[in-house]
Amino acid sequence: MAEHWFMLTVVGRDRAGIVAQLAQTLFRAGADFGEASMLRLGGNFTIMLMVHFPAGEHSLAESIKAVAEHLQLRVHIDPIDSHLHENEAADVVVSISGADQAGIVAGVTTRLAAVGLDILNLDSTVAGSEASPVYVMRIEGRAREGIEALEPVIAELQREGLDAVLHPVDMLIA
Amino acid sequence: MELITWPDERLRRVADVIDVFDKALREQASKLEAVMRAGPAAVGIAAPQVGWLQRLVIVDVTARKGTNNGLLILLNPEIVQWQGSVIGREGCLSVPEYTGNVVRAAELVIEAQDLYGESCRYEASGFEARVIQHELDHLDGLLFTDRIVSRRSDLFLRQGGA
Ligand SMILES: [Zn+2]
């Protein structure tokens, strides 16, 4: 079942029942689902969904056209290789927060990548009040050169006034 | 004795209290420990994970850094006190290919019986406390997947000072 997989990206204004209508439509059209991530970002609905659809890309697009128009959603489809269950496990979490500043994501991720961090997941949000926003970012990754290699970067970020914390992922299997 | 995996419905049942503490029970417990030792880096196991529906768990985090209670074999365990909360990554011998972040109490006091029916009491914290809670859930038909928090809610917990 490695073939005929697509990454379906759907974005639009959030409203009740989007996922259900989308999923129903795809299911009736004969789709199987893989991994999915639905998030509301700044009040917008977003979903990225792995869809197995043997009838092909054009047919997939046709099958959700009506529901997308009805819900005013923008849809994007990419053919992909499916590798279910091949998500690498993170061994470290980096939490960073600080006064909102342009370039924080770029700056932090670039410096961490340079010392061997493969970033697997990244979430961020803007908290605090409008007058004094606080940028909060959480990165899960794999430290290719060991967690110690990341420590100087964390110390540097702290000197620059960011609240930066490094946690090893203490995975529990039981 | 073999591991059973989700969605085997026995993992969803509430296990029975143990009231006979005999040789057969001790033999059964040592077989359960062998199954745990055979697992990849497993730090605990609960009887229902092999389809044995009685309230017995084994926890052993001695391979990890930090203080701990050594090998724990807990029968009819109960959490009698707990405080604090921590988020940690969990996986389960009974749920292959899946891990997630779970909120657990940071410290706890547990009362249980040993293999001879004697009462015992332990304090645990950190990693060991998390493992004990994971195992006790198995005795009530709960899996870590029931308690997963998303990465985003984790962000907000942190914001909330939790
Ligand atoms: Zn488990």
Side-chain angles (χ1 to χ4, degrees), chain A residues 79-99:
Chain A
I80 53 165
D81 286 330
S82 155
H83 296 287
L84 286 172
H85 301 315
E86 287 192 10
N87 296 319
E88 252 186 295
D91 60 10
V92 65
V93 174
V94 180
S95 302
I96 312 244
S97 60

Side-chain angles (χ1 to χ4, degrees), chain A residues 93-152:
Chain A
V93 174
V94 180
S95 302
I96 312 244
S97 60
D100 195 5
Q101 58 186 95
I104 181 172
V105 179
V108 170
T109 54
T110 305
R111 280 189 276 176
L112 289 171
V115 290
L117 184 71
D118 290 338
I119 294 174
L120 302 173
N121 283 305
L122 184 153
D123 287 287
S124 68
T125 192
V126 184
S129 64
E130 214 151 299
S132 57
V134 180
Y135 200 87
V136 185
M137 178 163 68
R138 187 175 184 282
I139 297 171
E140 292 186 355
R142 226 181 149 74
R144 253 184 300 110
E145 287 155 36
I147 290 174
E148 314 75 54
L150 309 181
E151 281 163 1

Side-chain angles (χ1 to χ4, degrees), chain A residues 39-41 85 95 97 121 123-125 127-128 134 136-138 140 163 165 169-174, chain B residues 42-44 49 64 89-93 97 99 101 127 130-131 134-135 151-152 154-156 158-159:
Chain A
L39 291 173
R40 281 176 308 119
L41 296 173
H85 301 315
S95 302
S97 60
N121 283 305
D123 287 287
S124 68
T125 192
V134 180
V136 185
M137 178 163 68
R138 187 175 184 282
E140 292 186 355
D163 177 350
V165 186
V169 173
D170 216 352
M171 170 79 91
L172 176 170
I173 306 282
Chain B
V43 288
Q49 290 180 278
R64 300 291 181 122
R89 195 84 165 166
E90 297 187 19
C92 180
L93 295 169
E97 302 288 354
T99 67
N101 293 325
F127 190 74
R130 289 169 50 208
V131 179
H134 179 111
E135 297 314 344
R151 293 190 298 276
R152 290 189 76 74
D154 185 1
L155 273 180
F156 300 129
R158 181 183 145 79
Q159 261 324 89

Side-chain angles (χ1 to χ4, degrees), chain B residues 107-119:
Chain B
E107 293 170 35
L108 51 84
V109 177
I110 194 140
E111 287 179 0
Q113 283 166 287
D114 69 11
L115 285 166
Y116 297 87
E118 297 295 325
S119 298

